[in-house]
Each structure stands twice: as structure tokens, then as C-alpha cells.
Amino acid sequence: MKTKRNDDVSSLSHTKWNCQYHIIFCPKYRRKAIYGKLRSDIGKYLRRLCEYKGVEIVEAHAMIDHIHMLVKIPPKLAVSSFMGYLKGKSSLMIFDEHANLKYNYGSRHFWSEGYYVSTVGLNKTVIVNYIKNQEHEDQVKDKRSLKEYKDPFTGK
């Protein structure tokens, strides 16, 4: 189905396409559950599921409480159906491998219901840099917020 690629442009039998989407989704109740072994396993599951559907991951990063992905989804596949597939199958894989999580999550719902998606056009490099550097920026902000607050008026 997929033939020779030319940089950013992919092709199907009679179609040239470059459909890129910036997607963000998070665990149920925005729990800070994505870290350690679970983080690497989630990455492995998401890569495998994308490969099954013919979706190319341009850039992805797992934060403590959400996932950022920049993906190229073929035009024959709707973004909503792909996200349903990705979140549904990955949650089943997570609960199969990490049985102890089912006590925290009750039923097999690891991901929250919604997700954020935006199309990527000419600002692709900005989004790629944002995904790469967001964890560092969050760490810098956290360090700033850890400083004790001193009221400039009372000195306390």
C-alpha cells in the first residue's frame, strides 16, 4: 500500500498526502502514572499499535501525566477512529502486563475519555521542539515554584 516516501510526502496508490496531527491524551483522572517501567512499556505499545495501522510517529514524548505525539495518519483513517483504537488497545495491553494497576483503576479504563488534536501545517518545527523540550520546561517551572514564597510587604 505505502510506496516510496519523498521527505514529508507519503503516498497511497493514487494519493499523495502529508496529514500530520499533534495529539495529547492523558490517564484517567490525570494520575501521575506514566513513569519508570510503565513509561517504556507504554511507548513500546503505542509504537507497535501505530505500526499496525500504518501510522508514522514523527515525534513523541511521555510526560508524567500525559502523552504528546506528532503523527502522520493516512487520509483513509479517521483521527477519531485511530484514537479510539490506540487508547483502547493500549489500555488492554497495559492491564495485561501490569495486573496491579486494575486495583487502582477499577475497570480497564487507563486513559481519560477525551484527547486534544490539532493539524500541523507550516509550524511543524515549532511543535516538534515543543514536544522535545516540554519536560525540561516543566522541570524548570517546578524548580521555580519550589522556592519559598516571601511576601515583599511583610518580609514573612
Side-chain angles (χ1 to χ4, degrees):
M1 291 232 201
K2 199 170 174 181
T3 59
K4 190 176 175 184
R5 283 190 27 192
N6 183 5
D7 287 336
D8 282 344
V9 178
S10 299
S11 66
L12 297 169
S13 57
H14 298 285
T15 309
K16 299 281 187 196
W17 59 275
N18 183 14
C19 302
Q20 296 185 8
Y21 301 93
H22 178 209
I23 298 171
I24 303 171
F25 54 101
C26 54
K28 196 153 186 106
Y29 309 119
R30 197 134 175 140
R31 289 188 170 128
K32 297 181 183 340
I34 306 171
Y35 57 89
K37 180 163 176 29
L38 189 58
R39 181 179 181 166
S40 64
D41 286 348
I42 288 173
K44 181 175 62 174
Y45 304 146
L46 295 179
R47 281 190 298 274
R48 187 181 319 151
L49 292 170
C50 286
E51 186 180 315
Y52 290 160
K53 287 288 187 178
V55 172
E56 179 186 344
I57 299 175
V58 177
E59 188 69 42
H61 195 74
M63 302 297 291
I64 292 174
D65 63 348
H66 61 281
I67 304 285
H68 278 279
M69 296 178 77
L70 179 61
V71 292
K72 287 179 72 170
I73 301 175
K76 65 181 181 179
L77 185 61
V79 177
S80 59
S81 64
F82 170 71
M83 285 306 296
Y85 164 80
L86 187 68
K87 289 168 60 177
K89 294 294 183 187
S90 65
S91 68
L92 292 176
M93 294 170 135
I94 289 167
F95 285 116
D96 285 345
E97 286 283 325
H98 303 277
N100 59 338
L101 288 178
K102 64 182 155 187
Y103 299 112
N104 296 339
Y105 288 85
S107 58
R108 292 181 166 229
H109 297 275
F110 183 79
W111 303 111
S112 63
E113 287 184 18
Y115 60 92
Y116 168 82
V117 63
S118 70
T119 56
V120 176
L122 300 175
N123 57 354
K124 175 185 169 186
T125 55
V126 173
I127 292 173
V128 168
N129 288 332
Y130 170 73
I131 291 172
K132 282 183 182 177
N133 298 323
Q134 188 195 10
E135 186 171 27
H136 176 68
E137 290 173 13
D138 285 351
Q139 289 171 348
V140 169
K141 286 180 186 175
D142 286 344
K143 286 179 184 172
R144 265 191 264 142
S145 66
L146 290 177
K147 293 180 182 175
E148 292 183 12
Y149 177 74
K150 193 171 187 178
D151 189 355
F153 300 108
T154 62
K156 295 180 185 178

